[in-house]
Amino acid sequence: MILRHVTIDCANPYELGTFWSTVTGWPLSGEDAPGDPEVLVEAPSPLPGMLFIRVPEGKTVKNRIHFDWMPTERTRDEEVERVIGLGAKLYEDHRTAEGLGWVTLLDPEGNEFCVERSKGERGL
């Protein structure tokens, strides 16, 4: 079995898909356009794509599943600032004085996701 997509319910698939496309650097499907009821962010193989689907109800509680991202081209703190600049909001800051920890952010529709330290910061 292969995990093909991670599906995210949302109010505006194109806007949220565009946000995540910008965050990840992965393209939107060439078949998608503003106003579409679903939008696919195409991940590089073998990763699953991110499929955004319009639903009528809004988010009301904490996510039961969320993304943990590890930057590849920046430090954790640089990535947090970059993503906030793209429209994310700071939710919980779990960084420590020793430089450990992670940051929990909210995407434009309030879905939680975390940014961890990069491999370089972990000494890997």
Side-chain angles (χ1 to χ4, degrees), residues 38-53:
E38 59 184 55
V39 170
L40 176 64
V41 176
E42 298 177 330
S45 183
L47 301 175
M50 299 171 73
L51 182 62
F52 298 88
I53 296 181

Side-chain angles (χ1 to χ4, degrees), residues 76-77 92-103 115 117 121:
R76 175 201 55 212
D77 295 346
E92 295 176 337
D93 193 333
H94 299 278
R95 292 177 279 197
T96 68
E98 298 79 30
L100 303 174
W102 68 94
V103 178
V115 178
R117 294 179 304 145
E121 292 171 291

Side-chain angles (χ1 to χ4, degrees), residues 41-106:
V41 176
E42 298 177 330
S45 183
L47 301 175
M50 299 171 73
L51 182 62
F52 298 88
I53 296 181
R54 180 178 296 123
V55 297
E57 62 277 352
K59 181 178 180 293
T60 58
V61 297
K62 185 179 184 318
N63 296 5
R64 296 291 301 250
I65 186 171
H66 67 266
F67 298 113
D68 288 339
W69 296 98
M70 183 171 57
T72 56
E73 299 175 11
R74 287 171 274 284
T75 67
R76 175 201 55 212
D77 295 346
E78 291 168 341
E79 187 67 9
V80 166
E81 292 306 313
R82 182 184 80 86
V83 175
I84 287 173
L86 295 174
K89 291 185 174 75
L90 179 64
Y91 182 62
E92 295 176 337
D93 193 333
H94 299 278
R95 292 177 279 197
T96 68
E98 298 79 30
L100 303 174
W102 68 94
V103 178
T104 305
L105 301 169
L106 301 175

Side-chain angles (χ1 to χ4, degrees), residues 24-44:
T24 61
W26 304 342
L28 291 178
S29 169
E31 299 175 11
D32 295 326
D36 283 354
E38 59 184 55
V39 170
L40 176 64
V41 176
E42 298 177 330

